[in-house]
Amino acid sequence: GADINKAAGGTDSKGGGIFISGNDSALTLTNVAVKGNTADKDGGGIYLTGNGTKGSMYNSKILNNKAQKTGETTKGGGICIADSASFEMDGGTTLDSKIDGNVSTGDTSSSSYGGGVCVIGNSDNGRTHASFIFKKGTISNNTARYGGGVMVEDGGTFTMEGRGESYKDYDNNIIQGNTADASGGGVAVH
C-alpha cells in the first residue's frame, strides 16, 4: 500500500522507514507511526547513527517493521541505534508509545538481534556509546534470535526509568510478549 516504504537492493541497506546519519543530527517523533517498513540489513523502521545524534519518540508507535536479509546478520527490526547516537522513548501521560510487532531475521546461517530495538555501542575516538532510554511505553510482540524486545551489545546502554511515585505506578514501562529463539526474550545484553 501507499504507507509502506522499503530500503532494499543494496548490500548495506539501513533504515527502511527513516535513516538519520551525521554528527549532531536530530529526529523527533510526536503522535506519529512508523510502520510496515523493511530494510535489507539494519533498522527496519528507523536507523539512527552519528556522534551526538539524538532521537526521541513521544506518544508514537514503531509497528510491524522488518530488518531481514538471507545469509546476513540483521539488527533492529523496529529501530537500530548505532555508534554514539541516543534515542529516548516516552509515552507522556498515557502508555501510547509502542514498539510492537517488529522482526529482525536472517536465516539459519546468520543471526538476528533486537526485534524491537538494537543498541550497538561500538563508538570509537573516545566518544560515548549508543544508548536507549525507555521512560514510558510498551515494547511487545517483537521477534529476533537474540533480544526479542531489546538487544544491547558492544558497550551500548539501555536505561529504564520509572516515573512512579509508588509501587502502583511501576507498570509505566512494559516489556512483554517478545520472542527470542536463542536468548533474551525481553532484553539481552551481550
Side-chain angles (χ1 to χ4, degrees):
D3 62 350
I4 297 176
N5 299 302
K6 185 174 182 179
T11 57
D12 200 27
S13 296
K14 298 177 179 180
I18 300 171
F19 179 87
I20 302 291
S21 177
N23 295 336
D24 299 315
S25 298
L27 169 68
T28 303
L29 305 172
T30 304
N31 301 320
V32 299
V34 178
K35 64 179 185 173
N37 301 290
T38 301
D40 276 350
K41 186 86 169 112
D42 303 329
I46 300 169
Y47 187 86
L48 189 69
T49 187
N51 186 32
T53 296
K54 295 180 180 182
S56 63
M57 66 185 286
Y58 184 81
N59 288 334
S60 294
K61 296 170 177 47
I62 300 173
L63 307 170
N64 305 315
N65 299 287
K66 294 180 186 175
Q68 64 181 17
K69 178 89 173 180
T70 301
E72 295 280 337
T73 296
T74 60
K75 299 179 180 186
I79 181 169
C80 185
I81 307 157
D83 300 318
S84 297
S86 64
F87 193 85
E88 182 177 299
M89 177 180 176
D90 194 335
T93 57
T94 65
L95 288 177
D96 284 343
S97 280
K98 292 184 183 181
I99 297 176
D100 185 88
N102 301 286
V103 177
S104 179
T105 183
D107 60 18
T108 56
S109 67
S110 63
S111 294
S112 61
Y113 299 94
V117 179
C118 188
V119 185
I120 308 168
N122 62 356
S123 68
D124 55 9
N125 299 324
R127 296 181 289 189
T128 58
H129 291 282
S131 64
F132 175 54
I133 301 169
F134 180 29
K135 288 189 173 180
K136 192 173 185 181
T138 303
I139 299 173
S140 58
N141 305 311
N142 301 289
T143 304
R145 183 163 174 78
Y146 299 95
V150 178
M151 174 70 196
V152 182
E153 63 177 358
D154 296 333
T157 61
F158 171 52
T159 304
M160 288 180 72
E161 294 182 1
R163 288 174 152 184
E165 300 278 331
S166 72
Y167 74 92
K168 294 176 186 177
D169 297 323
Y170 289 146
D171 62 353
N172 288 334
N173 296 15
I174 300 169
I175 298 175
Q176 69 181 11
N178 299 287
T179 303
D181 296 334
S183 62
V187 178
V189 179
H190 289 204

